[in-house]
Amino acid sequence: MPEPDPKDSLEAATQATRSLQGLSTELTARVPQLLEAMRSVGTGLELHSTLDRICETAAELAHARYAAIGVVDTKGKGLSDFLTYGVSEAVEAEIGHRPDGQRGLLGALIHDPAPVRLADLTADPRFAGFPAGHPPMRTFLGVPIRVQGEIFGNLYLAEKEGGGEFNDYDLHMVRVLATEAGIAIGNARLYEAARQRERWIDGSVAVTTALLSGGDADEALAVVAEQARHLAASAAGIVLLPTEEGGLEIVAVSADSPSASLGVIIGPESPVVAKLLAGEAVFMDDSATESRVISRLAHQFGPTMLLPLHSGGRVLGALATPRARGDRPFTETERTLATQFASQAALALMMAEAQRDRERLAVYEDRDRIARDLHDLVIQRLFATGMMLESAQRGSVVPEVRTGVGRAVDELDVTIQEIRTAIFALQQEPVEAPSGLRTRVLREINMAAVPLGFKPSHRFLGPVDSLVGELTGKNLIAALREALSNAFRHAEASLIDVVVDATVTLPDGRDAVRLSVADDGVGIPEGGRRSGLRNLARRAESLGGSSWFGPGLGEGGGGTTMVWEAPL
């Protein structure tokens, strides 16, 4: 935590002493008050509270009714922030938006940062009028605040108490205070920058941990979106991944309210997509008016950072952190930290992808081993048993025995055919599976059968392939995969039933599809991890549906039934 530099404070005190030499005894009598004001201003390191304290101290020192600080934006053309003292919340609400410094007296002081003292600010040719609800003000004193030689903003005082004007004494005192304020603001800025870097580093660690934890990939991407939104103080955090057509698809969204943007694809014709896929960051002060964006989502937001998830010469996707319309633009520091965060997230994504590839390879190797064992051992033994039974059948003279043995041989033949089908399924690559929803559901069930040790039962109600849309189907498969994974990893289930019902009607009358996955496992323990369930609910809500869980297939309602539904 940076401490105020004693040399800076000494320099301010020396300047204050020199500026007071030769002045009247009235001003000299106010020196203790000035020193106390300087001490008060230098207390604390939080930037916003420091600015509030400067406003209040300046008003008390110069006996002004109102005080304000206008913080100049990074371009030096307007105000990025405006803090007041003496104006009530009710009056601020009546005034509405705060001044932007683009015109009038405040704008003139930005372009010409020099002390200004006016007996009647309304008579000044630079005055542009007060907005409706603004309290009347006449006497005015403005002094620039410099931080390390650069203009930070201006300190404004208005309405001298007692009806008089601000005099030379007030101007000298406030200029000294502004010097000390610059030092305090500089220290507060350093402290805030250190805190900000620490938060972004912690966020990068959280993302890396989530991506390498071996959990669900969609849940890990949701962590990236949540952390980016929190760290950037944005209205939303959005993760996009490349599509086969060359565009970007929104795969994770973090926002205050459920978002309908999940699954939205931004086409390759967008200039922004081309830049992101080329590894270039895009920064916008107002995405709603930005001509380069051709997505309906952009018009909902204001300042936006679009960052490529770039690592090792590959662009894995993009990260968007849009702020609400009218919010302040992102600073250079925020842009730098966000870019570093995106690079760290991309590196973690690559490591997680490599880890999943190793796990997938291990699964394929295990499936090949199981297929070989089934073919070389189980089928051969069943075939030998069948031959022995056929020999016994020919040697038997009892008709009932011959008939029973014949049925047993037929059952063995059917069993051998089923095992050969299972072997074929184990040897299939995922890309060889057809794209119909029914087939994708069966594929997930067959994939889960290997770690479970049994095949879940399943039912389809209604023409699921023709009724369920692609986006809903994609999210249903992800929900099924999550539910089956939970049943294997946590439920200790021995029985699982999967139902896909495309004949459901939602309470608002819309046609929907419902996925139910019931098991006879141990159920969901109190206080247990529920991130997977939240992920399921988030997917359903993004499509206008819902998700919940209830009693399962065990005795007395033991186990868990996960229900996920969304409009067709």
Side-chain angles (χ1 to χ4, degrees):
M1 180 184 302
E3 294 291 342
D5 191 339
K7 293 182 180 178
D8 291 337
S9 298
L10 179 59
E11 181 181 347
T14 302
Q15 182 176 345
T17 302
R18 290 173 179 171
S19 66
L20 295 175
Q21 288 176 352
L23 295 178
S24 70
T25 55
E26 177 185 346
L27 183 56
T28 305
R30 294 170 65 181
V31 168
Q33 183 184 5
L34 174 61
L35 295 176
E36 176 61 25
M38 293 173 65
R39 186 203 62 79
S40 175
V41 165
T43 304
L45 288 171
E46 200 277 321
L47 181 57
H48 204 277
S49 63
T50 297
L51 297 178
D52 283 334
R53 194 163 51 252
I54 292 171
C55 280
E56 181 179 359
T57 303
E60 293 175 352
L61 183 65
H63 303 293
R65 182 175 180 183
Y66 303 108
I69 289 180
V71 180
V72 179
D73 62 26
T74 55
K75 297 180 180 179
K77 296 181 179 180
L79 298 178
S80 62
D81 201 0
F82 192 79
L83 299 91
T84 63
Y85 169 78
V87 181
S88 66
E89 293 182 1
V91 173
E92 285 191 354
E94 187 177 354
I95 295 173
H97 65 85
R98 298 189 174 190
D100 57 11
Q102 298 294 329
R103 59 191 183 89
L105 184 58
L106 300 188
L109 291 176
I110 292 175
H111 299 297
D112 184 18
V116 174
R117 181 158 53 95
L118 301 172
D120 186 355
L121 65 90
T122 61
D124 190 281
R126 297 169 290 184
F127 179 68
F130 290 129
H134 195 285
M137 297 180 184
R138 300 184 70 83
T139 54
F140 178 83
L141 178 61
V143 176
I145 299 176
R146 289 179 169 82
V147 177
Q148 296 178 347
E150 297 182 357
I151 290 296
F152 170 82
N154 288 287
L155 173 61
Y156 315 109
L157 300 172
E159 287 298 280
K160 175 81 169 181
E161 293 179 358
E165 299 178 16
F166 293 105
N167 53 36
D168 289 338
Y169 306 148
D170 297 320
L171 177 59
H172 279 289
M173 303 275 273
V174 173
R175 289 181 68 177
V176 173
L177 182 65
T179 302
E180 179 65 23
I183 297 170
I185 291 170
N187 288 325
R189 274 183 161 180
L190 290 174
Y191 175 72
E192 183 63 29
R195 289 280 304 276
Q196 197 174 36
R197 284 193 295 270
E198 182 181 354
R199 288 194 297 269
W200 281 95
I201 291 172
D202 290 343
S204 297
V205 172
V207 165
T208 303
T209 302
L211 289 172
L212 299 181
S213 64
D216 183 78
D218 292 329
E219 182 181 335
L221 292 175
V223 172
V224 175
E226 291 168 3
Q227 287 291 333
R229 176 196 170 206
H230 169 69
L231 294 169
S234 56
I238 303 171
V239 176
L240 306 94
L241 296 182
T243 64
E244 294 181 357
E245 295 77 19
L248 289 171
E249 179 185 359
I250 297 177
V251 297
V253 178
S254 173
D256 285 335
S257 57
S259 174
S261 59
L262 198 65
V264 170
I265 295 177
I266 304 174
E269 65 275 11
S270 169
V272 170
V273 170
K275 281 185 170 292
L276 290 172
L277 293 180
E280 299 179 32
V282 178
F283 302 104
M284 305 175 187
D285 288 339
D286 187 0
S287 64
T289 59
E290 179 64 54
S291 60
R292 293 174 293 175
V293 179
I294 54 174
S295 168
R296 60 179 176 81
L297 300 175
H299 301 294
Q300 305 174 18
F301 302 108
T304 301
M305 291 190 292
L306 295 163
L307 309 166
L309 296 173
H310 182 271
S311 181
R314 291 178 55 196
V315 176
L316 306 179
L319 176 64
T321 57
R323 282 178 174 162
R325 298 195 65 178
D327 277 2
R328 63 176 179 84
F330 292 97
T331 65
E332 288 298 325
T333 299
E334 288 174 322
R335 293 181 179 188
T336 301
L337 291 172
T339 301
Q340 294 171 350
F341 172 85
S343 298
Q344 180 65 31
L347 177 60
L349 278 170
M350 288 189 63
M351 294 173 64
E353 184 179 278
Q355 178 175 293
R356 285 193 295 272
D357 287 343
R358 290 193 297 270
E359 293 173 351
R360 192 178 296 114
L361 179 61
V363 170
Y364 289 158
E365 291 175 348
D366 199 35
R367 289 170 61 181
D368 286 342
R369 179 189 58 78
I370 294 172
R372 288 195 303 271
D373 289 346
L374 286 174
H375 182 272
D376 297 341
L377 300 177
V378 179
I379 288 183
Q380 296 301 325
R381 289 181 180 178
L382 289 175
F383 187 73
T385 302
M387 293 182 63
M388 292 172 61
L389 289 173
E390 287 180 343
S391 176
Q393 182 186 32
R394 289 192 296 269
S396 176
V397 296
V398 181
E400 291 82 359
V401 173
R402 292 171 62 88
T403 301
V405 172
R407 282 199 297 269
V409 171
D410 292 340
E411 288 292 333
L412 284 177
D413 289 339
V414 172
T415 301
I416 289 172
Q417 291 301 319
E418 289 179 347
I419 293 175
R420 283 175 173 165
T421 301
I423 292 172
F424 179 76
L426 287 170
Q427 293 174 334
Q428 292 297 304
E429 292 290 336
V431 294
E432 297 176 9
S435 59
L437 179 60
R438 183 187 297 264
T439 303
R440 283 184 285 170
V441 169
L442 291 175
R443 175 188 155 210
E444 292 297 329
I445 291 174
N446 288 332
M447 289 281 288
V450 175
L452 285 169
F454 65 92
K455 183 177 179 179
S457 61
H458 63 274
R459 286 177 293 151
F460 295 96
L461 302 178
V464 296
D465 285 336
S466 59
L467 289 180
V468 182
E470 178 61 28
L471 179 59
T472 300
K474 178 181 177 181
N475 282 276
L476 184 146
I477 292 299
L480 173 61
R481 187 180 302 125
E482 176 73 25
L484 291 174
S485 175
N486 286 339
F488 164 65
R489 291 186 298 172
H490 308 301
E492 303 176 12
S494 60
L495 180 65
I496 298 177
D497 182 48
V498 177
V499 179
V500 180
D501 186 354
T503 64
V504 175
T505 301
L506 297 178
D508 59 7
R510 289 179 295 170
D511 294 331
V513 61
R514 177 180 294 160
L515 168 68
S516 301
V517 181
D519 65 59
D520 64 345
V522 298
I524 302 176
E526 289 294 331
R529 185 170 177 266
R530 284 174 164 76
S531 55
L533 297 174
R534 287 195 298 270
N535 189 36
L536 294 177
R538 193 161 45 233
R539 284 184 172 276
E541 290 168 358
S542 70
L543 299 171
S546 58
S547 178
W548 67 92
F549 58 92
L553 300 174
E555 295 184 5
T560 305
T561 297
M562 187 284 297
V563 181
W564 186 95
E565 63 182 17
L568 294 174

